[in-house]
Amino acid sequence: MAKPIPVSPLARPLPDLSTVAGVRLSAVAAGVRYQGRTDLMLAEFVPGTIVAGVYTKNACPGAPILWCRQAQTTPYARALLVNAGNANVFTGRAGIQACEDCADAVSKLLDCPPQDVFLSSTGVIGEKLPQDRIIAALPAAQAGLLEDNWAQAARAIMTTDTFPKAARRDVTIGGKPVRLQGIAKGSGMVAPDMATMLAYVATDAKLPQNVLQSLLASGCAQSFNSITVDSDTSTSDTLMLFATGLADNPAVDDVNDPALAEFTLALNDLLLELALLVVRDGEGATKQIRVEVTGADSNLSAHRIALSIANSPLVKTAIAGEDANWGRVVMAVGKSGEPADRDLLSVAIGGTWIARDGGVVENYDEAPVVAHMKGQDIEITVDMGLDDGQARVWTCDLTHGYIDINGSYRS
């Protein structure tokens, strides 16, 4: 049996969570893999709830990803079922059958079409999902549905996570109050296209699917697609947004409607908060790292350069060791394959410019940089000096804890 994983030193407590009108949740122990803890989350949505989703681009996706993509061809959702401990990935026809069986069982309990049931699984790859255990636990899950079970739901979907993750925002649309609340899990196998990482957000706002999908895709680009723990893209990454429509906001049919401005900012902010909680729980992490690239050939180029820095084992281990080795940042810029000119490059750590225009700053004092490296939140800034492309990504350091966790993951 694997050793208990210590709570990340970067952990954050759960915020003050509330309820979202039209959403009830439960968390039960199905014994999928773990013993002595909840591992199955069921969310029930009021009839008429609209759904949007963004899923992994990994070419070997899990059966639940295929199920959700197909289910989302209609706009409605009545339930979300998530299990931890088994990813239902690389399980062939048995995996598809497991999804069909679980969706059918939930649909009978809630009297809805199976395609209105959305599914996620997270955990070990390549092992058949014991759907009989999940289905046997569904009556208890239905009986336990409550509006205020968000914290319990966040804990039930954890795998190697060391703390539950949630966020909440209260805003208005057209002067009418609406709420956004979400949970996430993830700590390893996290890299863009999507951030294993699952995130679910619900709102009582009344919005059509095309608007909801556009908002989610845009928000994902700035959050879950701008974080990386280890450069490995999960087979199960899922980000979903459910809108129950029970708020009294005016009708909105255009994503650019000014009435949506506050809601859009709040959604983007909530998604970024959840994404950064995933980074803060990066396996073995002791430091959160923000990498900002400016002056690049384009925004896309800046994003790729930032990821090259954020994914560099040499950069990440230097930061773990609190070594202000900025030469590794230069190396990572150069290996990105993006346009770069050594003689225009500038590098800063913690707001202190170390190199300007291809050379070390005259009379550079390393003391403030060394002090910055001892903190938990590290900032790296690179200016390429080429054009106005810019990007920002977040990652964490790479410690021996990452090896300890992943070397015994199946134990």
Side-chain angles (χ1 to χ4, degrees):
M1 184 175 178
K3 297 178 182 177
I5 303 171
V7 175
S8 168
L10 308 178
R12 291 291 183 266
L14 283 171
D16 181 21
L17 298 175
S18 186
T19 62
V20 176
V23 183
R24 298 195 303 159
L25 309 98
S26 66
V28 297
V32 174
R33 183 177 189 86
Y34 305 114
Q35 301 299 319
R37 55 155 283 189
T38 57
D39 61 354
L40 186 68
M41 184 271 279
L42 176 65
E44 177 195 38
F45 307 105
V46 68
T49 293
I50 304 298
V51 61
V54 181
Y55 308 99
T56 184
K57 293 182 181 178
N58 190 295
C60 298
I65 297 291
L66 304 179
W67 176 271
C68 287
R69 285 174 177 160
Q70 178 59 37
Q72 203 180 304
T73 56
T74 62
Y76 301 110
R78 280 281 280 125
L80 168 67
L81 183 68
V82 186
N83 75 269
N86 183 308
N88 195 11
V89 172
F90 211 67
T91 48
R93 177 59 202 169
I96 300 297
Q97 187 63 54
C99 287
E100 294 174 355
D101 291 349
C102 289
D104 187 58
V106 173
S107 73
K108 286 182 169 64
L109 285 178
L110 301 183
D111 190 24
C112 68
Q115 65 264 29
D116 289 357
V117 178
F118 287 80
L119 306 169
S120 289
S121 298
T122 178
V124 173
I125 291 172
E127 294 183 3
K128 184 179 180 298
L129 183 72
Q131 67 261 40
D132 290 349
R133 299 179 198 171
I134 294 174
I135 293 169
L138 286 177
Q142 183 188 27
L145 289 168
L146 294 170
E147 289 185 333
D148 60 355
N149 264 347
W150 284 85
Q152 291 83 346
R155 292 184 177 92
I157 63 176
M158 292 165 51
T159 52
T160 57
D161 303 62
T162 68
F163 64 93
K165 304 163 182 68
R168 168 190 166 188
R169 298 290 185 276
D170 291 283
V171 291
T172 61
I173 297 178
K176 299 295 184 179
V178 298
R179 175 167 293 154
L180 285 151
Q181 191 157 276
I183 59 175
K185 66 83 53 185
S187 58
M189 203 188 292
V190 174
D193 290 336
M194 299 265 300
T196 289
M197 123 64 220
L198 304 175
Y200 310 102
V201 181
T203 178
D204 53 0
K206 183 168 48 182
L207 296 170
Q209 190 185 46
N210 65 316
V211 170
L212 210 63
Q213 185 65 38
S214 180
L215 288 172
L216 188 64
S218 176
C220 179
Q222 305 168 49
S223 56
F224 287 104
N225 274 353
S226 291
I227 64 171
T228 178
V229 168
D230 49 22
S231 83
D232 287 335
T233 302
S234 167
T235 54
S236 304
D237 289 334
T238 298
L239 169 62
M240 303 192 75
L241 175 58
F242 301 90
T244 65
L246 295 185
D248 193 29
N249 63 277
V252 176
D253 56 12
D254 184 345
V255 72
N256 296 312
D257 190 321
L260 269 181
E262 185 183 356
F263 181 88
T264 301
L265 287 174
L267 175 62
N268 291 345
D269 194 49
L270 179 144
L271 292 177
L272 181 57
E273 180 178 347
L274 290 175
L276 293 186
L277 288 172
V278 171
V279 170
R280 299 188 77 84
D281 205 11
E283 290 168 339
T286 64
K287 298 177 187 293
Q288 179 178 277
I289 306 163
R290 187 184 77 183
V291 180
E292 187 159 4
V293 174
T294 60
D297 191 55
S298 66
N299 289 345
L300 179 58
S301 180
H303 188 72
R304 288 171 173 165
I305 292 167
L307 284 176
S308 181
I309 298 167
N311 282 325
S312 166
L314 287 177
V315 171
K316 290 157 71 76
T317 50
I319 292 172
E322 300 180 349
D323 178 9
N325 191 343
W326 58 275
R328 293 184 176 182
V329 176
V330 175
M331 172 279 301
V333 170
K335 76 166 187 175
S336 70
E338 293 300 310
D341 186 331
R342 178 197 62 199
D343 296 331
L344 298 177
L345 191 65
S346 301
V347 178
I349 295 178
T352 299
W353 289 98
I354 301 169
R356 282 282 198 185
D357 302 324
V360 179
V361 172
E362 188 175 354
N363 298 319
Y364 160 60
D365 179 9
E366 194 175 62
V369 178
V370 170
H372 179 73
M373 295 294 288
K374 294 185 181 303
Q376 287 188 338
D377 293 276
I378 308 301
E379 297 179 2
I380 298 174
T381 305
V382 171
D383 187 85
M384 302 297 294
L386 298 175
D387 207 324
D388 59 0
Q390 56 185 316
R392 183 180 292 172
V393 305
W394 290 263
T395 188
C396 58
D397 58 343
L398 181 59
T399 72
H400 202 281
Y402 184 87
I403 300 171
D404 293 338
I405 292 168
N406 285 285
S408 60
Y409 182 58
R410 295 196 308 158
S411 302

